[in-house]
Structures are given as structure tokens and as C-alpha cells.
Amino acid sequence: MELILVRHGESLHNIKAVTSWDSELSINGKEQVRLVGEVLLNEQIDEIWCSPMQRALETAQILSSKTQALARAFVHLSEHGHGWEENGLRRSFIENQYPLIRLPSEIDEDGWARHWNHESRSDLYRRIGYIADQITKVAASKRLKKLVVVIHGKSGTELLKHLLQIPEYKKYYFRMFNCGITRLYLNIETNERTVICMNDISHLGDLVQMKNLSRSVPRYR
């Protein structure tokens, strides 16, 4: 199975236009996602997975519209710390704003992130392990040929560590640009993981916003 990881488009929080951790895409971010959609348009994508954070939902919605692929939300895919002090979006809001995304029952009217608070790096690694397991099961079943997963920065790094079988204690960080594309081929029968490309931004042209990426290693609260 080919696994395509796409970091969400540039968000309003990325450019410090809002203080909310759970913000929608900027105008630039929407155009970035549109360009990813053009790349994926003729690739026969089977499914798109995303977190219930607004920037990821909006990215998945645009890609689903472009590719006609089924889109699903997974709480376990959310960024480090989930919404921190925020409760997360209500189910009715998501259904109204992002009608192409299928939601799990745990996303309700009280906010999907209300149960979460502090999360260490180890907590994040264990939590994202659930997604890695789901990806592995899908690849083993051969149900899907191409799966797109919309990722965040820190949780995306921990997902890659799982998929590439890098131990938790190794302090690796994979820096991903907004709408950078990473492609892996997973052969579960032979336990092979082939990295086809990492953080490909050739499709973005002048829309790559390097200034929004810190040079320092991200901090885990």
C-alpha cells in the first residue's frame, strides 16, 4: 500500500493571525491544499484520514472534493496536546462546515478535546501508535491501495517514527512544510517500508512559507 502523508495547509495560527490553537486555513493555506489536490487528482486515492482539528478538516475536505475519496476523522491523529485549553469543535459544527468528513461517535456536542489536558511526548508517541496500528492493519488487509493521511507537525513526527520503526527514545524530528508531501510504500508481508519521498514541496512554488518554520527543535509541554 502506498501511504501519502500531507501536512495540513498553512493555518491562521501559523501566521499568528489568531490565538486559537484550532484555527482554520489562511488564504495561502487554501491555495496550498488546492495544489496538493492537483497532484493527487489522477492518483485514484482510496481514503483520506485527518484529525478533527479545523486546519486538518479543511485540508481533508478540499482534497476529498478534488479526488472524490472517502474522508474520515480520527481523534488520535490530532496534534500534540489536542486543543490544550480548548474543548475542540462540536459535532454539529463539523458536520455543517465539513460535510464530506465521516466522524467517529466520540466526537459529540461537548467538544472532542474536552477530556484531554497535559500530554507528554511519551503520551503522544503512545497515542499516535493507535493510528500506526490502523495503517498497518489496512496495509496488511490490502483493502486500500493508496491512503492519504493529513498530519500535524509533532504528531506527524511520532507517526513517522512508528512507521519507520524508530524507538520512542530516539529524539528525531521530521520538519514538514505546510502541504509538504511524504510518500511511503508499506509491504507488511516482508516488513519493508520504502521511503519514496520526504517533504516534497515542488508543487507549491512561491507558496512555501519558510519564515513560519522555527529553526529550533519543537518543545513538548
Side-chain angles (χ1 to χ4, degrees):
M1 182 184 79
E2 184 175 349
L3 175 64
I4 303 171
L5 305 179
V6 179
R7 191 182 176 196
H8 60 78
E10 179 189 83
S11 70
L12 292 176
H13 183 79
N14 287 151
I15 59 174
K16 298 179 171 40
V18 297
T19 57
S20 172
W21 287 91
D22 194 2
S23 62
E24 60 187 313
L25 298 181
S26 66
I27 293 174
N28 189 64
K30 293 175 183 179
E31 180 62 13
Q32 289 173 336
V33 180
R34 187 191 69 79
L35 292 174
V36 174
E38 292 296 325
V39 171
L40 302 179
L41 184 59
N42 297 313
E43 292 204 26
Q44 297 182 319
I45 304 300
D46 294 302
E47 286 189 10
I48 299 168
W49 295 3
C50 68
S51 82
M53 303 190 88
Q54 197 159 198
R55 56 195 182 275
L57 290 166
E58 191 169 1
T59 298
Q61 172 94 358
I62 295 170
L63 295 181
S64 178
S65 177
K66 276 278 188 181
T67 64
Q68 304 303 304
L70 174 67
R72 301 177 183 273
F74 292 80
V75 170
H76 284 74
L77 262 173
S78 61
E79 181 57 304
H80 176 231
H82 301 275
W84 291 109
E85 293 80 16
E86 301 174 38
N87 287 337
L89 300 174
R90 301 187 311 277
R91 185 181 188 91
S92 58
F93 177 87
I94 297 175
E95 289 176 335
N96 182 60
Q97 292 293 114
Y98 309 107
L100 297 181
I101 313 294
R102 288 195 182 179
L103 305 178
S105 58
E106 61 197 294
I107 297 179
D108 56 27
E109 284 304 293
D110 295 321
W112 61 267
R114 69 187 186 280
H115 303 298
W116 305 92
N117 193 350
H118 175 77
E119 184 176 50
S120 68
R121 181 175 181 169
S122 293
D123 292 335
L124 172 61
Y125 184 84
R126 287 191 292 271
R127 189 241 298 170
I128 211 71
Y130 170 81
I131 295 297
D133 288 344
Q134 295 304 304
I135 290 171
T136 300
K137 288 177 182 178
V138 168
S141 72
K142 299 182 180 180
R143 181 173 66 85
L144 306 179
K145 292 184 177 180
K146 285 195 178 186
L147 170 64
V148 171
V149 178
V150 178
I151 62 171
H152 297 273
K154 294 175 186 176
S155 59
T157 280
E158 301 307 316
L159 178 58
L160 271 169
K161 285 171 66 176
H162 274 284
L163 295 172
L164 299 178
Q165 300 178 328
I166 298 172
E168 177 189 352
Y169 67 87
K170 295 284 188 179
K171 294 184 178 179
Y172 284 51
Y173 184 76
F174 298 97
R175 194 173 298 284
M176 301 292 176
F177 287 88
N178 293 119
C179 281
I181 297 174
T182 295
R183 294 176 185 263
L184 305 175
Y185 185 79
L186 308 179
N187 187 327
I188 305 305
E189 292 178 355
T190 61
N191 198 30
E192 291 180 79
R193 280 108 168 117
T194 303
V195 179
I196 301 170
C197 68
M198 184 79 73
N199 194 31
D200 178 14
I201 54 174
S202 60
H203 52 288
L204 296 178
D206 295 335
L207 293 179
V208 178
Q209 296 296 310
M210 292 188 180
K211 64 182 180 181
N212 293 331
L213 287 180
S214 169
R215 292 178 182 272
S216 62
V217 175
R219 295 172 58 190
Y220 290 79
R221 294 191 186 187

